[in-house]
Amino acid sequence: MPKHMNSLVLGFFYLTAMAWALCEVCLIAGTGNWLPLSLFLVLFFVAFSILGCLNVSDGMMNMFGAATAILLGLFLLFISFAGFQISPAVGLLKLFGALSIVAAGIIPFLPAKKNDSHSH
C-alpha cells in the first residue's frame, strides 16, 4: 500500500474513533454522568492545542496520533462491554470496532517493511 494511502486509512480510523468516542460520552452524559464528556473535551482541546502550537516533527506527530488512537481504542474497548447489555450482536460489533481502532494505532509502531526487490 502506498505511504499516502496508509496515512489516509489511518486518518479515517482516527476520525472514526474520535467521532465514536464523542458519541459514547454524549450518551453517558445523557444519563446524568457528565464527567466522561468533560474529560473528553478537555483532553481533545489540550491535545490539539499542543499539536497546533508546538513545532513538532512529522514523525513525532504521527507517533502522537498513533498513541492517541490506541488510547481511544482502549477507552472504546472498555465502553464496548456495556453493549452486551443491549444485545450480543451490538456488543460484538462494538468490540470488533474498538479492537480495529487499537490495531490501527499499533500499525505505525511496527517496523517498516523493507522493499527488497530482486531482479532475475
Side-chain angles (χ1 to χ4, degrees), residues 20-115:
W20 181 14
L22 182 59
C23 289
E24 291 287 349
V25 295
C26 285
L27 289 172
I28 293 169
T31 64
N33 184 2
W34 286 82
L35 182 63
L37 179 60
S38 301
L39 289 176
F40 178 85
L41 292 175
V42 166
L43 292 174
F44 178 83
F45 285 121
V46 167
F48 280 95
S49 296
I50 290 171
L51 287 176
C53 296
L54 294 180
N55 189 14
V56 295
S57 68
D58 287 343
M60 180 63 82
M61 193 171 295
N62 289 339
M63 289 301 127
F64 179 79
T68 302
I70 292 171
L71 291 175
L72 273 172
L74 292 175
F75 168 74
L76 292 170
L77 187 65
F78 177 73
I79 294 288
S80 69
F81 291 111
F84 286 102
Q85 294 175 352
I86 299 168
S87 77
V90 170
L92 286 174
L93 186 62
K94 285 185 168 190
L95 191 65
F96 176 74
L99 289 173
S100 297
I101 293 168
V102 170
I106 291 173
I107 289 172
F109 289 109
L110 298 176
K113 184 178 174 183
K114 292 184 181 178
N115 193 3

Side-chain angles (χ1 to χ4, degrees), residues 4-25:
H4 68 277
M5 189 62 157
N6 192 20
S7 296
L8 289 173
V9 171
L10 291 176
F12 173 76
F13 272 112
Y14 298 162
L15 183 63
T16 303
M18 294 291 282
W20 181 14
L22 182 59
C23 289
E24 291 287 349
V25 295

